[in-house]
Amino acid sequence: MGRRRRPVDPAAGARAGALPEAIAALSQSLPSGPSPEIFRRAKFDRPEATPALWQLLFRVLAPLPLDNRLASLAPEVQARLVKSALRSQGYPRLALAQLPEDGSQGSRELLLALSWLLARGPVLEQMLAQTRVPLGDEMTVCQCEALASPGPPAPQVRAEDPVDVRHVQWLMGKLRFRWRQLVSSQQEQCTLLSKIHLYTSGCHGDHSLGHLSVAEAEMLRDPEGGQQLLRTLECENRRLEAVLAWRRTELVFWRWMDTVLDTCVLGVPAAASQGTFLPQIPECSGGVLELVAWELRALQEELQEAAEHRRAAWEAKAGGCGRGPEWSAVRRASREAVEKELGALRRCWEQDRDPAQPHVPHRLVRREDGAAGDRDLRAAEVIRTLRSQEACLEAVLHQLQGQCRQELARLAGALPGLIWIPPPGR
Amino acid sequence: MLPRDCSRRLMAELQGALDACAERQLQLEQSLRVCRRLLQAWEPTETRASEPPPGPETNEEDPSPACAPSPQDLKELEFLTQALEKAVRVRRSITMAGETDKAPSLKSRSTVAPPGAIAFAPPQTPGQAGGHASDTRPTKGSCQTTVPPKGHSERQLLSLGDKTRVRTGARAPRPGPGLRDQQMAPSAAPKAPKAFTLKEKGHLLRLPAAFRKMASQNASLWAQLSSMQTSDSTDATAAKTQFLQNMQTASGGPQPRLSAQEVEAETGRLWKACTLLRLRMREELSAAPMDWMQEYRCLLTLEGLQAMVGQCLHRLQELRAAVAEQPPRPCPMGRPPRASPSCGGGADPAWSPQLLVYSSAQELQTLAALRLRVAMLDQQIHLEKVLLEEEVGGLERRRTQG
């Protein structure tokens, strides 16, 4: 294979046979993954390996579901999007940005990019989880991702037409109506689901589940479709096995990638090589940063005023209390208690993951007694959590609406030509 | 009129929200169709090419085709049928059940199955609609499960026969029972032929063995993946870290301290912080302290909050500096989820699906309704934020321009 062995690591030589295995496992666990040969060619920067790697990177980086719009993009556009996505994730090497987008060269750099992504996170598992065959009736408790706007705003909004306030209000009404529709459809679906679960209870071989899901019942009703389900399941099992094999053998792959990196010539691209970047689309993070800054400053002012006021009042009242030992003990206890509370508050936003509200879909299971295992969720608890979330969100919305009104009033005052519109989303 | 650029973004967001709702509605409706169809009487699929019905059918009312069994299958069917009929006859003579006419046809019905049938106990629809196809289900050769032990199905069928008195009209190998559909049975129970409905016979369904095997394999593989994730080999982790470091040092370019994604994530966190801090401040300000100790704590809390806001602002300045160093590039490929004030984002390493247990239809409905409500509030908040951003941005822009 012509691999350059690292002189310092004799053990890697002994494991040399595992490399093809690892690469084969990797290739099988990637969706429509490139053949192992592509990986080997890429190490030597062979141009024929390039298009496959661009495609693979696009599949890995593109948001699912991979709809027709994204899948039918031209390879050059896909390549550009890959570059942009890697850059926004902080890919360190500038050489990637300089690669031509026609797929004529650069396979080694692309291989490095792929490995970089694989090293940073459980990419394979995530991809599998996204395309998982849902055997049960699944519900994701937190819908923050499900109802995010699909992708970048479509360029249908004509920038030239000034927008009529009434049009905005009409759209808001339409949105409210659609929500109501969703609610009633959802209620009906729950009733039907519940019935299906009830009628098929006792059927499932797996007693922890107890009843059939819609997918399973559908498979019995329509065996042809069931065959399809079976085939998809089989595919998924194969990919799962490949990922497990990869996890067992990946060590030798990383050692190999170090050697690939060594073979790269350290190119020093000029700093002014920005020409290959995308044209400037309105930034997504700049505006938000400013808004948060503005909010925080306003909050700081409010807090400052309130705290000073309270402090003055306190000093006036308690100034005569003296500085006895029990007084300082009490002070310390209070301080500690407050610190603890505020620490918990801080954790609320610093923690990225909230264990009580997982974003993983859960399989719905109906049980008369509602008993659930350790790792399972109980509907009653979820309902409680959702209610408190609802309360919190309502408070936030209320506050935001107030701010919007204030701000609009200010704008109306500062710029007399502007017409005041009522804030949306009541 | 709204300022032009403000309106553009607001319109785009509104349109996006409408589209997301519409998409969700479509998905729901599709799911509803499937569910409704499941709860109605199950139509046997008539999509196969017409094939001769198996067995020595004298029944004329059976136009609907079954799977095409091979001649050998037909023979086997015949044997099976006859054997089971005999068994039933014997049993019948012992039990002297009233519905004797039904039992054999039931029997023959459901075990008219080539070796690869689903263990599907309920018999098929009778000749009510003039030869509605009978149990094509068990004969569907596409399924790959094994025939259940005859005794098992027998028992099921007999119990079925006793309970529901369903008659299978069409394909009795013995012409007699089949053609006696219309006659009044000796027993008093009504003999209306029934289609298969989930309501009545859902509990008799059984999943095919091939599927069960595959599904349990699937579950165990996912479980292995989960456990492997949590106990990641330290060798591999070290090797990966080393590789990433090597990549960084070999990059040959200015090293960005923070990627655009990280900036965005951090900004979201700061936004959440601001919201929570503000809420907390409101709580403290609106609470009436009962004694001096509470007052003292309130004071400390406010001062603590003030300090935290200062820290957040400091962090924000750092972010601003990082962003200014390299102009933030847009990420046109999919937007990361918005940082809602009430939840965090992030992938959960437990890949295998866990259960959500509910106990009644009403509970499920409440759950689903609340879930939608939270999502709706989240969306409203986002729109409100957009409006605020645009207003603030517009104000700033005008100040700098004017």
Side-chain angles (χ1 to χ4, degrees):
Chain A
M1 217 192 298
R3 259 196 330 277
R4 205 184 73 208
R5 305 276 166 86
R6 302 195 119 208
V8 288
D9 194 354
R15 272 193 292 272
L19 181 62
E21 206 184 300
I23 293 186
L26 179 60
S27 156
Q28 278 167 17
S29 44
L30 289 164
S32 58
S35 71
E37 193 52 36
I38 299 272
F39 287 93
R40 290 182 207 118
R41 295 229 174 112
K43 167 164 182 176
F44 299 104
D45 209 13
R46 309 282 312 158
E48 60 265 20
T50 319
L53 285 173
W54 274 122
Q55 272 179 26
L56 176 61
L57 279 169
F58 184 73
R59 281 294 289 271
V60 169
L61 290 164
L64 275 176
L66 199 66
D67 57 13
N68 291 333
R69 181 174 62 97
L70 283 177
S72 61
L73 288 174
E76 294 80 31
V77 182
Q78 287 187 358
R80 241 176 290 146
L81 288 174
V82 165
K83 283 189 191 176
S84 167
L86 277 172
R87 186 152 166 137
S88 86
Q89 287 201 30
Y91 185 67
R93 293 174 60 86
L94 289 179
L96 180 86
Q98 297 185 301
L99 287 179
E101 284 143 16
D102 54 9
S104 55
Q105 49 164 297
S107 56
R108 184 163 53 207
E109 190 62 40
L110 294 178
L111 176 61
L112 287 173
L114 177 69
S115 310
W116 185 80
L117 286 170
L118 285 172
R120 274 170 39 114
V123 170
L124 297 171
E125 286 89 339
Q126 276 169 348
M127 291 183 81
L128 259 182
Q130 280 167 339
T131 52
R132 197 169 51 87
V133 178
L135 293 173
D137 299 314
E138 313 238 318
M139 179 181 273
T140 315
V141 177
C142 185
Q143 285 207 286
C144 61
E145 297 196 26
L147 282 159
S149 308
Q156 297 155 0
V157 179
R158 296 184 300 276
E160 305 77 36
D161 298 351
V163 169
D164 195 345
V165 161
R166 286 167 297 178
H167 187 45
V168 172
Q169 288 177 327
W170 177 74
L171 282 178
M172 293 300 307
K174 197 167 156 184
L175 188 59
R176 274 195 294 272
F177 174 71
R178 286 207 183 160
W179 272 109
R180 278 203 293 274
Q181 256 191 321
L182 265 181
V183 168
S184 75
S185 301
Q186 175 80 275
Q187 297 297 85
E188 190 189 343
Q189 201 212 19
C190 287
T191 325
L192 296 184
L193 260 186
S194 178
K195 276 195 192 151
I196 292 176
H197 291 175
L198 187 62
Y199 297 161
T200 59
S201 51
C203 294
H204 211 287
D206 180 352
H207 291 294
S208 69
L209 296 173
H211 56 71
L212 299 182
S213 68
V214 167
E216 289 161 346
E218 184 67 11
M219 183 180 63
L220 287 173
R221 189 194 70 87
D222 172 26
E224 254 184 16
Q227 281 304 99
Q228 182 59 37
L229 183 64
L230 215 57
R231 278 193 288 268
T232 325
L233 203 53
E234 206 176 352
C235 266
E236 184 176 302
N237 286 358
R238 275 203 298 270
R239 267 181 73 187
L240 277 167
E241 283 166 355
V243 175
L244 284 168
W246 159 254
R247 287 284 160 211
R248 285 192 294 269
T249 56
E250 62 175 323
L251 181 57
V252 63
F253 178 83
W254 296 116
R255 304 254 165 95
W256 180 64
M257 281 312 297
D258 279 334
T259 69
V260 174
L261 194 52
D262 288 346
T263 65
C264 272
V265 177
L266 262 180
V268 187
S273 59
Q274 314 279 329
T276 49
F277 287 145
L278 284 169
Q280 193 75 10
I281 302 174
E283 3 183 280
C284 33
S285 62
V288 180
L289 209 53
E290 286 313 311
L291 179 64
V292 178
W294 182 77
E295 287 274 335
L296 280 172
R297 276 198 294 270
L299 184 60
Q300 195 180 43
E301 276 174 28
E302 275 189 62
L303 270 172
Q304 198 168 354
E305 204 185 300
E308 276 173 7
H309 181 75
R310 293 281 174 113
R311 172 59 73 173
W314 173 256
E315 292 296 328
K317 224 189 288 191
C321 272
R323 296 280 182 265
E326 58 292 349
W327 169 235
S328 56
V330 162
R331 267 202 320 182
R332 198 170 355 144
S334 302
R335 233 194 338 261
E336 279 166 11
V338 167
E339 267 169 27
K340 207 161 162 192
E341 273 179 33
L342 292 181
L345 187 63
R346 179 197 293 277
R347 272 192 296 280
C348 273
W349 75 74
E350 278 186 353
Q351 254 179 357
D352 252 346
R353 198 174 308 152
D354 187 357
Q357 279 295 341
H359 301 254
V360 183
H362 281 59
R363 178 170 177 153
L364 284 172
V365 167
R366 184 190 172 123
R367 283 189 198 145
E368 292 306 313
D369 53 359
D374 279 339
R375 294 178 69 219
D376 304 328
L377 290 180
R378 280 179 196 73
E381 284 169 17
V382 177
I383 289 177
R384 262 199 301 274
T385 321
L386 282 173
R387 279 206 215 280
S388 72
Q389 248 189 318
E390 182 193 17
C392 171
L393 285 175
E394 276 173 349
V396 169
L397 182 63
H398 192 67
Q399 167 197 317
L400 264 179
Q401 281 172 332
Q403 277 180 281
C404 259
R405 273 190 285 266
Q406 264 182 0
E407 210 36 43
L408 276 167
R410 260 209 280 174
L411 267 180
L415 306 155
L418 209 59
I419 295 180
W420 191 88
I421 60 161
R426 213 158 300 112
Chain B
M1 302 299 169
L2 287 171
R4 186 164 302 157
D5 37 10
C6 163
S7 67
R8 188 183 347 159
R9 177 133 183 245
L10 184 62
M11 293 298 289
E13 292 283 344
L14 266 175
Q15 197 57 49
L18 282 165
D19 291 341
C21 270
E23 170 137 1
R24 183 84 175 101
Q25 180 73 28
L26 269 176
Q27 286 171 3
L28 257 180
E29 276 170 11
Q30 196 180 21
S31 171
L32 275 172
R33 269 198 295 274
V34 172
C35 288
R36 284 189 201 122
R37 194 174 50 191
L38 274 177
L39 284 167
Q40 289 164 357
W42 288 17
E43 306 263 335
T45 56
E46 312 222 17
T47 53
R48 297 173 203 282
S50 58
E51 297 132 353
E57 242 81 84
T58 61
N59 189 12
E60 40 303 281
E61 305 177 348
D62 183 32
S64 63
C67 286
S70 63
Q72 154 145 66
D73 286 345
L74 294 178
K75 266 215 176 45
E76 283 182 70
L77 275 174
E78 231 183 290
F79 291 145
L80 265 176
T81 318
Q82 286 166 5
L84 287 166
E85 273 179 61
K86 190 166 181 185
V88 168
R89 254 176 282 144
V90 169
R91 198 170 289 206
R92 218 188 312 147
S93 64
I94 300 176
T95 62
M96 298 190 296
E99 316 65 8
T100 56
D101 293 344
K102 320 316 168 273
S105 26
L106 271 179
K107 191 79 8 115
S108 59
R109 182 57 31 112
S110 23
T111 52
V112 159
I118 305 177
F120 189 64
Q124 271 325 285
T125 80
Q128 192 188 43
H132 229 3
S134 19
D135 56 330
T136 51
R137 193 139 305 114
T139 60
K140 281 171 183 158
S142 52
C143 306
Q144 304 155 2
T145 58
T146 56
V147 167
K150 288 190 208 138
H152 176 59
S153 56
E154 230 181 20
R155 229 174 299 125
Q156 273 185 327
L157 294 167
L158 274 184
S159 66
L160 180 61
D162 288 344
K163 270 194 253 181
T164 63
R165 296 135 202 251
V166 174
R167 279 171 308 127
T168 53
R171 300 188 346 164
R174 299 226 265 101
L179 293 175
R180 265 184 249 150
D181 270 9
Q182 319 310 323
Q183 285 180 11
M184 275 321 295
S187 75
K191 300 297 191 247
K194 286 193 196 147
F196 175 77
T197 56
L198 215 55
K199 184 166 183 178
E200 293 154 9
K201 297 162 212 145
H203 58 286
L204 296 167
L205 293 171
R206 292 291 177 269
L207 289 169
F211 173 78
R212 268 182 288 154
K213 190 166 111 179
M214 204 79 73
S216 79
Q217 213 180 19
N218 186 271
S220 105
L221 284 170
W222 276 114
Q224 280 181 50
L225 208 61
S226 285
S227 69
M228 202 172 248
Q229 189 70 24
T230 49
S231 65
D232 205 1
S233 130
T234 44
D235 278 347
T237 324
K240 281 190 270 196
T241 321
Q242 182 65 46
F243 173 70
L244 286 173
Q245 271 174 12
N246 292 347
M247 284 283 277
Q248 194 70 44
T249 51
S251 62
Q255 307 188 7
R257 265 175 290 155
L258 281 172
S259 69
Q261 242 189 24
E262 284 166 353
V263 167
E264 202 149 343
E266 186 90 26
T267 311
R269 277 197 289 273
L270 285 174
W271 173 264
K272 193 171 167 183
C274 185
T275 315
L276 291 172
L277 287 168
R278 185 182 285 277
L279 275 176
R280 190 58 199 273
M281 174 184 79
R282 293 268 155 81
E283 272 177 36
E284 290 297 321
L285 289 179
S286 56
M290 309 298 325
D291 58 26
W292 59 264
M293 175 117 97
Q294 277 187 5
E295 222 177 297
Y296 186 60
R297 281 180 71 159
C298 180
L299 170 64
L300 285 181
T301 310
L302 286 173
E303 289 180 340
L305 289 174
Q306 192 185 359
M308 282 162 99
V309 172
Q311 285 163 9
C312 286
L313 271 170
H314 179 74
R315 181 74 188 129
L316 201 129
Q317 300 301 343
E318 288 178 354
L319 280 182
R320 261 227 198 102
V323 162
E325 259 183 23
Q326 25 165 262
R329 291 294 160 181
C331 36
M333 287 227 288
R335 296 224 232 111
R338 301 192 288 267
S340 138
S342 54
C343 82
D348 199 299
W351 309 107
S352 44
Q354 292 146 286
L355 305 180
L356 204 173
V357 180
Y358 72 98
S359 54
S360 69
Q362 197 181 18
E363 206 180 24
L364 188 59
Q365 277 183 322
T366 315
L367 178 61
L370 270 175
R371 189 177 73 121
L372 267 183
R373 171 112 181 106
V374 165
M376 185 171 72
L377 282 169
D378 194 27
Q379 194 184 65
Q380 279 184 293
I381 287 175
H382 177 75
L383 286 172
E384 204 74 34
K385 260 164 75 171
V386 165
L387 191 61
L388 199 55
E389 264 173 57
E390 296 301 313
E391 286 166 4
V392 170
L395 198 60
E396 294 300 315
R397 272 194 292 276
R398 272 162 179 74
R399 285 223 186 106
T400 52
Q401 282 169 11

